[in-house]
Amino acid sequence: MKLGFIGIGLMGAGVVRNLIKAGHEVTVWDRFEEPAAEMVTAGAKLARTPEEATQHGIVFSMLAHDDAIQSTLIDPGWLDKSKKPLVHVNLSTISVKYARELTDLHAAAGIAYVASPVFGRPDSAAAGTLNLIVGGPDSAITPLLPALEAFSGKVYRVGSEPFQANLVKIAGNMMIASAIESMAEAAALGAAHGVDGSMMLDIYLEALFPSPVYRGYSAFIRRRDYEPVGFKLPLGLKDVRLALEAGEHAHVPLPVAGVVRDSLIQAIANGYGEKDWSSLAETSFIRAGLAKKA
Amino acid sequence: MKLGFIGIGLMGAGVVRNLIKAGHEVTVWDRFEEPAAEMVTAGAKLARTPEEATQHGIVFSMLAHDDAIQSTLIDPGWLDKSKKPLVHVNLSTISVKYARELTDLHAAAGIAYVASPVFGRPDSAAAGTLNLIVGGPDSAITPLLPALEAFSGKVYRVGSEPFQANLVKIAGNMMIASAIESMAEAAALGAAHGVDGSMMLDIYLEALFPSPVYRGYSAFIRRRDYEPVGFKLPLGLKDVRLALEAGEHAHVPLPVAGVVRDSLIQAIANGYGEKDWSSLAETSFIRAGLAKKA
Amino acid sequence: MKLGFIGIGLMGAGVVRNLIKAGHEVTVWDRFEEPAAEMVTAGAKLARTPEEATQHGIVFSMLAHDDAIQSTLIDPGWLDKSKKPLVHVNLSTISVKYARELTDLHAAAGIAYVASPVFGRPDSAAAGTLNLIVGGPDSAITPLLPALEAFSGKVYRVGSEPFQANLVKIAGNMMIASAIESMAEAAALGAAHGVDGSMMLDIYLEALFPSPVYRGYSAFIRRRDYEPVGFKLPLGLKDVRLALEAGEHAHVPLPVAGVVRDSLIQAIANGYGEKDWSSLAETSFIRAGLAKKA
Amino acid sequence: MKLGFIGIGLMGAGVVRNLIKAGHEVTVWDRFEEPAAEMVTAGAKLARTPEEATQHGIVFSMLAHDDAIQSTLIDPGWLDKSKKPLVHVNLSTISVKYARELTDLHAAAGIAYVASPVFGRPDSAAAGTLNLIVGGPDSAITPLLPALEAFSGKVYRVGSEPFQANLVKIAGNMMIASAIESMAEAAALGAAHGVDGSMMLDIYLEALFPSPVYRGYSAFIRRRDYEPVGFKLPLGLKDVRLALEAGEHAHVPLPVAGVVRDSLIQAIANGYGEKDWSSLAETSFIRAGLAKKA
């Protein structure tokens, strides 16, 4: 298929490479020259504007957050300037509220809108094994499946409303953060009693929670070193905040998400703002007077 | 091997059956006649007193909590009356504080003491696939391995201090409860937004957390029916309290455990005191005004 | 003095009446006809547009939240259309973030900007006993004192930056909400033990916390009836959220504010969305299975 | 009146001095010689054993916690050895559970039992202005009033069950700790935004919470120095734990108490274990990366 792709970050680059590898023709745009140029080297074509990326009637976007979409696409009138008919597949993790707004704006502009946030870190994007959570009308999604499958391990379809996919994604990130917090509380409890935290996490991983999330994040906590950065802490905080906002909007208290939010904030206040979001684990140690010496 | 077994509850019965099946000779005692009689039917011998169960120099015990051990064994002078030399393997989930006390009391009585709390529910006990967390001196544990392996999927040795095994067990249960809470918060968030909670939990189970704990407990939450009861809610509350107490003792705040404690208490206050502890999930729905109609 | 006043709600009406009573000439504007007409009956003059209210060089505004100011004044170009020189005294409770934005926008438009959020409910506004928290340049504030004192019990000056006043106000509301939650937890604990909650609150009020906030709100909790509505629950939730946002922005976890937020949300989910915000107290009773029968 | 007094700590000493000053004849006992000797210097008589302090048929006790009473009085058989008839007025802050046990034990021994925990710090004890929360049978309490009034500002009678007084006391301490936490969260929020925390606390004290508790504890937080120690932090943690236990027993979640508990634990973990319990406030600053330099 011929398609456009807007937003070449750590994640987007992996997706584009897999699309190209699967034989799709991808026209890329990014606000910075270098990432786009790298994609061209990898076989993509270059769009000079975000609307040029819509020329083939299918465009993917993967931007960092609500504001990036608003300022890059919506405010400059991209919806109007885009070629029609158009299907826009938004891979970004955005708020439920903004997902609803975008759905309305696309409908008004006569553009089919599909939300497809992903589970997976940059290594999964590179490997083409992302899990896709897809929400939107079947008529728009079904023809896209060959493209979606090119960079995903599995495609989950959650309903005809795009915001539903965003909700599932946000709640999933909330659960991942809760799992990290939970491992960290256990490890701090062990450490304070002279029990090796690393061994504890191995036991829990093997006996209770053998799964990618526990495996990946327990490795960070075991080392108490939160690099390489797959997902920067402030982005994690953003996602937990989105869950809390979605909860507030629908009158759902989420107390564990509230605790995790505080752990993330405390980690930033203590110098972990540039680390992987799993460094929220350090807050458990700081609370117990077991902070890592810098 | 010839060994004694004290405490034939839902869990103990499964363990004893597997010991017998593996060819061990088991002499059982329980304060109630019926459970002991069932074991005799299954091939065990009957001890008329708890001290008679120590006649072969090895005795296992599996009682509900600190108080049960204190009132059944310690207060009546069992340590003194027991046959020596003796190795006592305590499979119960008890507090870290009481584990330390028992270690001292056994040492004073000249009895080798091993803590071996288990991960697993009655079905794992029946299947002989419990995970054992073992703490105590190697000299006592190593000869026991044939017996331990008769009813376990895996034996984890965590150190020479018995209390360390109890800590690992308690922190693990705290993590399980946190995982249940986390699934419930996500499901309530979905429900309030019209997203099918069952589908959400399936996605998380497959894409993020494919593991026995998430599999087993998400099934309860999906049905919003918390039977059959594998682990009664007040026992779960006890274990989370033990984690909080161990945290307080060593100056480790455990805020998620605090939230989970409140969810468990609220579930009891709302009528789930006789259900499986996964019914703490209902608290997330109650908070959101989505309580199940009775 | 001659001055304008924008926003005649429950609070604004009381302020305007006191300004008139003190001999000031007040020109009012409200987006609804009726409240403005009532003020005219009370002796005010009527402005047909919000910019007409700026004709005397001093204008007060008291609107419900950030969005109301943005949509009523900022978006329609009020800053540009206003008569200059102008001092704008904003009595609204707004976010710290928006306070900073407004400060910049006013500076760019050549308007002196003063923030003066208030502590007090409609009865204090009517009585002219509001507590004013004032932030902004002395040169702007000092000449206004006669007007400010006309409707306040006390004027607190907290610094030259307007946002500082908003922060003090928001944090104060967070403390009031925490005090309500704390009374409610104690009362629920008493009720569950058969101790009369009303008597308990009387003791605490007299022996520990004799003060307007505890007096006023304990009365609601004692009756478990949350009318008349002085401050509607969703507005209280907004203020607690503003505190949490200000905390997140400056990396300050506020765990009690997080709990209170959940209590407020749970109260809405359980039908208290139109009641006084002190109905967050009902959440303590709901948690304990002691919900009031409707 | 002639009466005995057991337990001469910081608080007990003040009470005894006021009893003597009011003309009562007090026979004191303490497990340490020095505090008792000081009381003798002040005019008291010396009892050589705790049972000797019961010789006049009325005995007060003021011990640190449940365990102290159990080991000092109950385990050594004091109830049996005491002179009968006897009224025992227990001024200690003890758990609700233990209060019920003591009530039963006294009934079995034929001793009238009155609980009279106090609100107030050592300075109030010295000044004779303690607030007394009294629970027990009127027939026992009424004759004691002259003695009770000798050291109290006010006597609150809360019911015929002693445990009710203990519950009211414990819940009150929970509320005091919540107020401290709330002030600390506000002050940390201010500090992080460059607003003077001391000024903020003054405003709140004057405009919202003019009361002894806010006055006394805001002074500690303003200085960020938690001496002199009126009530040591671990005792405060004990009381909050007692509230949580009473809540758990009656199925009442107390989430703010849970947060305060964590703040107290974190303060201990960070070196404040010997300071006044208001040093729980430092946890708010630590969370925000604003810890005081040692």
Side-chain angles (χ1 to χ4, degrees):
Chain A
M1 300 170 74
K2 294 183 178 185
L3 50 86
F5 201 101
I6 291 171
I8 311 296
L10 225 48
M11 296 291 291
V15 173
V16 168
R17 283 179 204 278
N18 278 296
L19 284 166
I20 292 168
K21 206 161 62 183
H24 301 288
E25 183 187 315
V26 188
T27 303
V28 302
W29 182 84
D30 191 81
R31 66 191 171 115
F32 294 114
E33 263 180 47
E34 203 184 308
E38 271 181 37
M39 292 302 101
V40 171
T41 307
K45 306 207 166 182
L46 188 69
R48 283 159 308 169
T49 62
E51 39 273 18
E52 209 179 295
T54 66
Q55 63 187 284
H56 300 299
I58 304 174
V59 65
F60 285 73
S61 67
M62 195 160 204
L63 296 167
H65 41 58
D66 299 18
D67 288 351
I69 296 168
Q70 186 69 23
S71 63
T72 306
L73 302 182
I74 306 306
D75 285 342
W78 176 80
L79 291 173
D80 286 340
K81 297 180 204 159
S82 291
K83 182 158 180 296
K84 314 283 166 11
L86 179 66
V87 180
H88 176 198
V89 184
N90 189 346
L91 307 176
S92 319
T93 294
I94 62 171
S95 70
V96 169
K97 190 183 166 198
Y98 194 55
R100 289 176 186 270
E101 281 178 40
L102 285 181
T103 303
D104 292 345
L105 289 171
H106 282 75
I111 300 173
Y113 181 63
V114 173
S116 179
V118 307
F119 282 121
R121 289 161 63 99
D123 54 348
S124 315
T129 57
L130 294 169
N131 284 296
L132 268 54
I133 312 297
V134 183
D138 283 346
S139 57
I141 297 167
T142 307
L144 296 169
L145 287 175
L148 296 176
E149 284 160 5
F151 60 91
S152 67
K154 175 123 189 203
V155 174
Y156 295 95
R157 296 175 65 172
V158 298
S160 59
E161 291 290 343
F163 83 84
Q164 297 178 319
N166 296 104
L167 185 86
V168 171
K169 160 67 182 171
I170 288 166
N173 271 15
M174 173 186 89
M175 289 178 72
I176 295 171
S178 301
I180 297 171
E181 169 77 26
S182 160
M183 284 187 269
E185 293 192 8
L189 185 59
H193 280 90
V195 180
D196 183 56
S198 192
M199 182 192 62
M200 284 174 79
L201 293 178
D202 280 341
I203 293 174
Y204 300 138
L205 179 58
E206 192 174 298
L208 303 175
F209 307 110
S211 60
V213 165
Y214 281 81
R215 183 168 301 110
Y217 289 110
S218 67
F220 282 103
I221 303 174
R222 254 200 299 275
R223 293 195 307 268
R224 293 188 65 180
D225 179 29
Y226 305 92
E227 296 184 314
V229 178
F231 190 52
K232 209 184 264 189
L233 197 144
L235 288 173
L237 176 55
K238 180 205 73 172
D239 284 5
V240 173
R241 189 198 316 123
L242 294 186
L244 287 163
E245 285 175 9
E248 184 172 329
H249 178 75
H251 310 322
V252 183
L254 301 168
V256 167
V259 167
V260 170
R261 177 182 176 279
D262 284 348
S263 291
L264 286 159
I265 294 174
Q266 188 166 347
I268 296 177
N270 283 276
Y272 290 89
E274 300 294 318
K275 302 285 182 176
D276 189 76
W277 74 323
S278 52
S279 60
L280 74 88
E282 281 302 304
T283 296
S284 279
F285 294 100
I286 293 168
R287 275 188 213 114
L290 301 169
K292 214 180 143 208
K293 296 299 171 293
Chain B
M1 300 170 74
K2 295 185 177 183
L3 48 87
F5 201 101
I6 291 171
I8 312 295
L10 225 48
M11 295 292 289
V15 173
V16 168
R17 283 181 204 278
N18 278 296
L19 283 166
I20 292 168
K21 203 159 63 183
H24 301 288
E25 183 186 316
V26 189
T27 303
V28 303
W29 182 85
D30 191 82
R31 66 193 171 113
F32 294 113
E33 264 180 46
E34 202 183 309
E38 273 181 36
M39 292 302 101
V40 171
T41 308
K45 306 207 165 180
L46 189 69
R48 283 159 309 170
T49 62
E51 40 273 18
E52 209 178 297
T54 66
Q55 63 187 284
H56 300 299
I58 303 174
V59 65
F60 286 72
S61 66
M62 195 159 204
L63 297 167
H65 41 58
D66 298 18
D67 288 351
I69 296 168
Q70 186 68 24
S71 64
T72 306
L73 302 181
I74 306 305
D75 285 343
W78 177 79
L79 291 173
D80 286 340
K81 296 180 203 157
S82 291
K83 182 157 179 297
K84 315 283 166 12
L86 179 65
V87 180
H88 175 199
V89 184
N90 189 348
L91 305 177
S92 319
T93 294
I94 61 172
S95 71
V96 169
K97 189 182 166 198
Y98 194 55
R100 289 176 186 271
E101 282 178 39
L102 285 180
T103 302
D104 292 346
L105 289 170
H106 282 74
I111 300 174
Y113 182 62
V114 174
S116 179
V118 306
F119 282 121
R121 289 162 63 100
D123 54 349
S124 315
T129 59
L130 294 169
N131 285 296
L132 268 53
I133 312 298
V134 184
D138 283 345
S139 57
I141 296 167
T142 307
L144 296 170
L145 287 175
L148 297 176
E149 285 159 4
F151 60 92
S152 66
K154 175 124 189 202
V155 174
Y156 296 94
R157 296 176 62 174
V158 298
S160 59
E161 291 289 345
F163 84 85
Q164 297 178 317
N166 296 104
L167 184 86
V168 171
K169 160 67 182 173
I170 288 166
N173 272 15
M174 173 186 88
M175 289 178 72
I176 295 171
S178 302
I180 297 171
E181 168 78 26
S182 159
M183 284 187 271
E185 293 192 7
L189 184 60
H193 280 89
V195 180
D196 183 55
S198 192
M199 181 192 63
M200 283 173 80
L201 293 178
D202 280 341
I203 293 174
Y204 301 138
L205 180 58
E206 191 173 300
L208 303 175
F209 307 110
S211 60
V213 166
Y214 281 81
R215 183 168 301 110
Y217 289 110
S218 66
F220 281 103
I221 302 174
R222 254 199 300 274
R223 293 196 307 269
R224 293 188 66 181
D225 179 28
Y226 305 93
E227 295 185 315
V229 178
F231 189 52
K232 208 184 264 190
L233 197 143
L235 288 173
L237 175 56
K238 180 205 73 171
D239 284 5
V240 173
R241 190 199 314 125
L242 294 186
L244 287 163
E245 284 175 9
E248 184 172 331
H249 178 75
H251 310 322
V252 183
L254 301 168
V256 167
V259 168
V260 169
R261 177 183 175 278
D262 284 347
S263 292
L264 286 158
I265 293 174
Q266 187 167 346
I268 295 177
N270 284 275
Y272 290 88
E274 298 295 317
K275 302 286 180 174
D276 189 75
W277 74 323
S278 53
S279 60
L280 74 90
E282 282 302 305
T283 297
S284 280
F285 294 100
I286 293 168
R287 276 189 212 112
L290 302 169
K292 214 181 143 206
K293 298 297 171 294
Chain C
M1 301 171 73
K2 295 183 177 184
L3 49 85
F5 201 101
I6 291 171
I8 311 295
L10 225 48
M11 296 291 291
V15 174
V16 167
R17 284 179 203 279
N18 279 295
L19 284 166
I20 292 168
K21 204 160 63 184
H24 301 287
E25 183 187 315
V26 189
T27 303
V28 302
W29 182 84
D30 191 79
R31 64 191 172 115
F32 293 113
E33 264 180 47
E34 202 184 310
E38 273 181 37
M39 292 302 102
V40 171
T41 307
K45 306 206 165 183
L46 188 70
R48 283 159 308 169
T49 62
E51 39 273 17
E52 210 178 297
T54 66
Q55 63 188 283
H56 300 300
I58 303 174
V59 65
F60 286 72
S61 66
M62 195 159 202
L63 296 167
H65 41 58
D66 298 19
D67 288 351
I69 296 168
Q70 187 68 25
S71 62
T72 306
L73 302 182
I74 306 305
D75 286 342
W78 178 79
L79 292 173
D80 286 341
K81 296 180 203 158
S82 291
K83 181 155 179 299
K84 315 282 165 11
L86 180 65
V87 180
H88 176 199
V89 184
N90 189 346
L91 305 176
S92 319
T93 294
I94 61 171
S95 70
V96 170
K97 189 183 167 199
Y98 193 56
R100 289 176 186 270
E101 282 178 40
L102 285 181
T103 303
D104 291 346
L105 289 170
H106 282 74
I111 300 174
Y113 182 63
V114 173
S116 179
V118 307
F119 282 121
R121 289 162 63 101
D123 54 348
S124 315
T129 58
L130 294 169
N131 284 296
L132 268 54
I133 312 297
V134 184
D138 283 346
S139 57
I141 296 167
T142 307
L144 297 170
L145 288 176
L148 296 176
E149 284 160 4
F151 60 91
S152 66
K154 176 126 188 201
V155 174
Y156 296 95
R157 296 178 60 176
V158 298
S160 59
E161 292 289 345
F163 84 84
Q164 297 178 319
N166 297 105
L167 184 86
V168 171
K169 161 66 182 172
I170 288 166
N173 272 15
M174 172 185 89
M175 289 178 71
I176 295 171
S178 302
I180 298 171
E181 168 78 25
S182 159
M183 283 186 271
E185 293 191 8
L189 184 60
H193 280 89
V195 180
D196 183 56
S198 192
M199 181 193 63
M200 283 174 80
L201 293 178
D202 280 341
I203 292 174
Y204 301 138
L205 179 58
E206 190 173 301
L208 304 175
F209 308 110
S211 60
V213 166
Y214 281 82
R215 183 167 302 109
Y217 289 110
S218 67
F220 281 104
I221 303 174
R222 253 199 301 274
R223 294 196 305 268
R224 293 189 67 180
D225 178 28
Y226 305 92
E227 295 185 314
V229 177
F231 189 52
K232 208 185 265 190
L233 198 144
L235 288 173
L237 176 56
K238 179 204 73 169
D239 284 5
V240 173
R241 190 199 314 125
L242 294 186
L244 287 164
E245 285 175 10
E248 184 172 330
H249 178 75
H251 311 322
V252 183
L254 301 168
V256 167
V259 168
V260 170
R261 178 183 176 278
D262 284 347
S263 292
L264 286 159
I265 293 174
Q266 187 167 346
I268 295 177
N270 283 275
Y272 290 88
E274 300 294 318
K275 302 285 181 175
D276 190 75
W277 75 322
S278 52
S279 60
L280 75 89
E282 281 302 303
T283 296
S284 280
F285 294 100
I286 293 168
R287 276 189 211 113
L290 301 170
K292 214 181 144 205
K293 297 300 171 292
Chain D
M1 300 170 75
K2 295 184 178 184
L3 49 86
F5 202 101
I6 292 172
I8 311 295
L10 225 48
M11 296 291 290
V15 173
V16 168
R17 282 180 205 278
N18 279 296
L19 284 166
I20 293 169
K21 206 160 61 185
H24 301 287
E25 184 187 315
V26 189
T27 303
V28 303
W29 181 85
D30 191 81
R31 66 193 170 113
F32 294 113
E33 263 180 47
E34 205 183 307
E38 272 181 36
M39 292 302 101
V40 171
T41 308
K45 305 208 165 182
L46 189 69
R48 284 160 308 171
T49 63
E51 40 273 18
E52 210 178 296
T54 66
Q55 63 187 286
H56 301 299
I58 303 173
V59 66
F60 286 72
S61 67
M62 195 160 203
L63 297 166
H65 41 59
D66 298 18
D67 288 352
I69 296 168
Q70 186 68 25
S71 63
T72 306
L73 302 181
I74 307 305
D75 285 343
W78 177 79
L79 292 173
D80 286 340
K81 296 180 204 159
S82 291
K83 182 159 179 294
K84 314 284 166 13
L86 179 65
V87 181
H88 176 199
V89 184
N90 189 347
L91 306 176
S92 319
T93 294
I94 62 172
S95 70
V96 170
K97 189 182 166 198
Y98 194 55
R100 290 176 187 270
E101 282 178 39
L102 285 180
T103 302
D104 291 346
L105 289 170
H106 282 75
I111 300 174
Y113 181 63
V114 174
S116 179
V118 307
F119 282 121
R121 290 162 62 100
D123 53 349
S124 315
T129 58
L130 294 170
N131 284 296
L132 267 54
I133 312 297
V134 183
D138 283 346
S139 57
I141 296 167
T142 307
L144 297 169
L145 288 175
L148 297 176
E149 284 160 4
F151 61 90
S152 66
K154 176 125 188 200
V155 175
Y156 295 95
R157 296 178 62 174
V158 298
S160 60
E161 291 289 345
F163 84 85
Q164 297 178 318
N166 296 105
L167 184 85
V168 171
K169 160 67 182 172
I170 288 166
N173 271 14
M174 174 186 88
M175 289 178 73
I176 295 171
S178 302
I180 298 170
E181 169 77 26
S182 160
M183 284 187 270
E185 294 191 7
L189 184 60
H193 280 88
V195 181
D196 183 56
S198 192
M199 182 193 63
M200 283 173 80
L201 293 178
D202 280 341
I203 292 174
Y204 301 137
L205 180 58
E206 192 174 299
L208 303 175
F209 308 110
S211 61
V213 166
Y214 281 81
R215 183 167 301 111
Y217 289 110
S218 67
F220 282 103
I221 303 174
R222 256 200 298 275
R223 293 195 308 268
R224 294 189 64 181
D225 179 28
Y226 305 92
E227 295 185 315
V229 178
F231 189 51
K232 208 185 266 190
L233 197 142
L235 288 173
L237 176 55
K238 180 205 72 171
D239 284 5
V240 173
R241 190 199 313 125
L242 294 186
L244 288 163
E245 285 175 9
E248 183 172 330
H249 179 74
H251 310 322
V252 183
L254 301 167
V256 167
V259 167
V260 169
R261 178 182 175 279
D262 284 348
S263 291
L264 286 158
I265 294 174
Q266 187 167 346
I268 296 177
N270 283 275
Y272 290 88
E274 298 295 317
K275 301 286 181 176
D276 189 75
W277 74 322
S278 52
S279 61
L280 74 88
E282 282 302 305
T283 297
S284 280
F285 294 101
I286 294 168
R287 276 188 211 113
L290 302 169
K292 214 181 143 206
K293 297 299 171 295

